[in-house]
Amino acid sequence: SNMNIASLNRDDKFGKWFQDPVFTEMRKLLEPLCVPLTVMELFGGLTTGHIAIAALGCSPDVQLYCDINADLLHWISQVHTGSSAVHCGPISGDILLKDVATLPRVMAILAGPPCPPWSSKGSRAGWRDSRSVPFWRTLRIIVDQACSGSLFMFVLENVLGFASKQSDGTVPLHEVLQLLREELPSDWTLDHCIYNAKHFGLAQNRPRVYVTGRKTLDSSTPSFPAKAQCFKLKPKVWDFA
């Protein structure tokens, strides 16, 4: 990557993040795991998952980045310069067209499957919406990687509607957790929570549901608080021009 994450600590726009007590505590928790971390980003967007891992002090090595939006390629190519792991566009970036068994083995999976099936701005058709199919493929990839022994953590992100009761009385979040409990090896721990961007020093009211899973490696495996701790920063709009 040609993005110098370390330089953010010296930048007035970002330096306060690195001094925040909650942020520094997170970095301490991750120290035992701060080895070169092989990562898969599905529905990777602006590759913010990669950026966050790097900012926390780890060394992410992206083995696969997928997103069907070809317009992202200009930005992604600046972060992952010359990487053959980047698959961007309606064909190369579509995980439904990839063979799960032949995907690279990784240590961490970060994924934000399409949210329109559960978004308050859509029809909220849930699993009946064809755009929910990539979510099931994502779960299949997670289970396959976990059972192979390579994976030790994942993060799934979606909108609040994903945790809400649907018209048929089901809650998608609960269904996903149940499937993962049944399919993942017994040494895995699952958590879920709701975090809002405004609680982390950002000028945006953006609550999102997060499902996390981690394999218990040994006594040093960090355990994160179920309830979000708020950064002390006040929301602020920065001028990035």
Side-chain angles (χ1 to χ4, degrees), residues 9-89:
N9 198 21
R10 301 188 299 270
D11 191 316
D12 289 340
K13 290 187 176 71
F14 295 96
K16 290 182 180 179
W17 279 75
F18 286 78
Q19 305 304 319
D20 183 85
V22 175
F23 189 86
T24 54
E25 180 62 23
M26 287 181 180
R27 297 189 76 173
K28 287 181 180 179
L29 285 172
L30 284 171
E31 281 179 0
L33 303 179
C34 284
V35 297
L37 192 68
T38 52
V39 178
M40 183 185 297
E41 286 189 279
L42 306 178
F43 319 98
L46 294 174
T47 194
T48 50
H50 167 272
I51 295 171
I53 290 176
L56 284 167
C58 295
S59 302
D61 177 10
V62 175
Q63 297 292 302
L64 181 66
Y65 166 97
C66 287
D67 200 290
I68 62 172
N69 186 353
D71 293 335
L72 293 169
L73 187 58
H74 174 70
W75 162 256
I76 300 305
S77 63
Q78 296 182 55
V79 180
H80 304 301
T81 307
S83 174
S84 61
V86 174
H87 296 256
C88 214

Side-chain angles (χ1 to χ4, degrees), residues 154 176-177 180-181 184 188-192 211-214:
F154 70 82
V176 166
L177 289 171
L180 289 171
R181 290 189 186 103
L184 287 173
W188 274 75
T189 298
L190 297 174
D191 292 307
H192 64 279
V211 177
T212 65
R214 64 185 184 276

